[in-house]
Amino acid sequence: MRRLWFIILTGQCNLRCRYCGGSFPESVVPYKVKYDIDQLRKIVHERDNICFYGGEPLLNLEDLANIIMKIRARRFIIQTNGILVQNVPKWIWNFIDCVLLSIDGVEEITDKYRGRGVYRRVIEAARYLRKIGYNGEIIARMTVTEDSDIYRDVTHLISLGLFDKVHWQLNVIWYERWEFEKWAWRSYLPGIKRLVKLFLDYAERGIVLKIVPITGVLTEIFFKDLKGVPCGAGYSAFAINSDGRILACPIAVRESWAVVGDVQSGVKKIVEVSEPCISCSMFKLCGGRCLYAYYERSWGEDGFSAVCEVTCEYLRYIVSISEKVRELIRSGVIKREELFQDGIEDSTEIIP
Ligand code: SF4
Ligand code: SF4
């Protein structure tokens, strides 16, 4: 089975986004790689993908360049806040197949959560990559909060014409509790409904809008049997912390349930969800959504259920168009390859 390896290059970050808070302590996520990079050869196969992750991975270019030179992987991916993109030696971009740039939607929202001027810096980074002839994928990676208008923010990012795909994650469970349900039913779900309709309108004209939370679920419906959480955490996607521990999920750097091995001994166990997910009617499509949220439950049982209800409703919208989309594929209006979305290939989690 092909695996996705998040390689955490540093715990340091050059921003202090509201939902994340900036750098990790160096004692938890060292700011340089502390293990011998050659050891990665025993763990990462040539068929696997590597995603550079942080902190802000571009703060540790030395280890990044070393890994690119020493370790063979099918695809190299990077998740970056974009601020340092123009400082990276150009040869490095020739090895990177996919760049995920963090941007939350319109300028006002991005800057409110990530810092003043960040939106412009990210747009400049995407334009710069295109200008220097970067021909890999560029994905807009959004964090969606109570200030997000999902329809406005996603269509805004698509309209820029800079991103090959748009993906988002909900700011839930790993952040303090907010009035999620009220916002979700009043703003988010109606916005998703409009996005799903927009997606179908375009598909009928032969154009696939690469909105990952839509294409990813359609891929699950048509082409893939989900084996666990859609991001692959704990069974096909693992993170290697800069201290050498292997983790089931790249954000679980402090959680003991997430430690599954280390660079010397490899992956020693997989981590899965069980009840209530395995008995849930949506399990085949949802897969438990997020391993971290499943284990942490920091919003309590009612918070977990509130997110589940919203997830189920969003999945129902996609199921509702699936037969029409199937027909469009069958009749050749859209191509399977255009629609196919696999998170292992680009580090998107599929279900927000
Ligand atoms: S909707 Fe909730 S209970 Fe159902 S599979 Fe997803 S996370 Fe688990
Ligand atoms: S979706 Fe959840 S489990 Fe998967 S990588 Fe993100 S935080 Fe980890």
Side-chain angles (χ1 to χ4, degrees):
M1 184 204 273
R2 176 172 301 141
R3 282 179 168 172
L4 170 64
W5 296 95
F6 289 91
I7 297 197
I8 301 177
L9 289 174
T10 177
Q12 200 175 17
C13 192
N14 48 355
L15 292 179
R16 273 185 70 87
C17 303
R18 283 202 195 186
Y19 22 66
C20 166
S23 303
F24 290 103
E26 202 167 0
S27 55
V28 181
V29 187
Y31 294 178
K32 292 273 174 205
V33 168
K34 294 292 179 197
Y35 54 86
D36 177 359
I37 281 170
D38 288 326
Q39 286 179 313
L40 290 175
R41 283 208 195 97
K42 290 186 290 181
I43 302 171
V44 179
H45 296 275
E46 285 182 28
R47 61 171 184 267
D48 293 346
N49 297 323
I50 284 179
C51 177
F52 296 114
Y53 197 86
E56 168 47 47
L58 294 181
L59 287 170
N60 183 7
L61 278 178
E62 192 187 334
D63 287 326
L64 186 153
N66 251 329
I67 291 169
I68 282 179
M69 285 186 292
K70 290 183 165 181
I71 308 299
R72 297 185 68 163
R74 208 175 82 87
R75 275 165 76 80
F76 286 106
I77 303 158
I78 186 163
Q79 292 197 16
T80 169
N81 62 31
I83 303 296
L84 297 173
V85 159
Q86 300 190 45
N87 296 10
V88 177
K90 289 195 181 113
W91 69 266
I92 286 187
W93 295 118
N94 297 334
F95 289 86
I96 305 279
D97 299 279
C98 177
V99 182
L100 293 98
L101 292 172
S102 301
I103 184 167
D104 298 337
V106 296
E107 184 166 7
E108 178 198 332
I109 299 299
T110 301
D111 285 5
K112 177 172 176 182
Y113 283 86
R114 295 186 182 269
R116 200 184 303 158
V118 169
Y119 173 91
R120 281 177 191 279
R121 300 287 293 273
V122 177
I123 298 299
E124 277 165 24
R127 289 207 178 109
Y128 167 81
L129 286 170
R130 292 306 184 205
K131 199 176 94 198
I132 61 167
Y134 174 74
N135 59 12
E137 278 185 310
I138 305 181
I139 302 180
R141 183 181 164 75
M142 309 159 66
T143 300
V144 166
T145 65
E146 66 229 85
D147 287 316
S148 303
D149 173 332
I150 195 71
Y151 185 83
R152 175 199 62 194
D153 292 318
V154 170
T155 52
H156 169 72
L157 293 173
I158 293 172
S159 74
L160 295 172
L162 289 168
F163 301 106
D164 298 291
K165 296 176 186 168
V166 177
H167 179 53
W168 69 89
Q169 279 290 282
L170 287 170
N171 184 29
V172 293
I173 304 194
W174 35 269
Y175 187 75
E176 63 200 46
R177 188 91 149 94
W178 49 280
E179 285 194 84
F180 168 72
E181 295 95 311
K182 215 160 122 190
W183 166 84
W185 290 91
R186 204 168 51 195
S187 166
Y188 180 65
L189 287 168
I192 300 276
K193 209 174 201 171
R194 286 177 72 197
L195 282 178
V196 169
K197 183 174 178 318
L198 185 77
F199 176 88
L200 186 60
D201 289 347
Y202 270 81
E204 282 167 345
R205 287 186 268 142
I207 300 163
V208 176
L209 292 179
K210 305 274 183 82
I211 302 170
V212 172
I214 297 178
T215 53
V217 173
L218 287 169
T219 299
E220 284 168 13
I221 294 172
F222 301 145
F223 314 118
K224 239 177 98 176
D225 270 338
L226 209 51
K227 305 261 185 315
V229 282
C231 60
Y235 65 101
S236 64
F238 297 93
I240 304 176
N241 192 30
S242 45
D243 63 6
R245 287 177 300 146
I246 301 180
L247 312 170
C249 153
I251 71 163
V253 293
R254 293 187 174 92
E255 289 74 14
S256 54
W257 60 262
V259 179
V260 296
D262 56 48
V263 280
Q264 277 93 30
S265 48
V267 173
K268 291 291 170 207
K269 60 173 185 176
I270 60 166
V271 185
E272 294 171 304
V273 299
S274 74
E275 297 295 355
C277 296
I278 52 176
S279 304
C280 171
S281 61
M282 279 294 178
F283 185 59
K284 272 190 148 177
L285 290 183
C286 176
R289 196 184 77 89
C290 165
L291 198 68
Y292 186 85
Y294 179 87
Y295 277 91
E296 288 301 304
R297 309 252 176 134
S298 59
W299 284 13
E301 291 309 313
D302 64 319
F304 185 81
S305 304
V307 176
C308 289
E309 278 172 35
V310 171
T311 303
C312 289
E313 187 70 0
Y314 135 80
L315 290 170
R316 278 183 213 112
Y317 296 160
I318 298 173
V319 170
S320 76
I321 63 160
S322 60
E323 275 317 303
K324 283 188 183 151
V325 176
R326 195 192 298 273
E327 195 42 49
L328 293 173
I329 298 172
R330 210 178 280 143
S331 55
V333 177
I334 57 172
K335 292 194 182 75
R336 175 194 188 274
E337 313 82 78
E338 279 282 289
L339 185 81
F340 194 83
Q341 171 60 39
D342 188 345
I344 292 297
E345 303 295 351
D346 61 17
S347 81
T348 53
E349 298 91 338
I350 309 297
I351 296 198

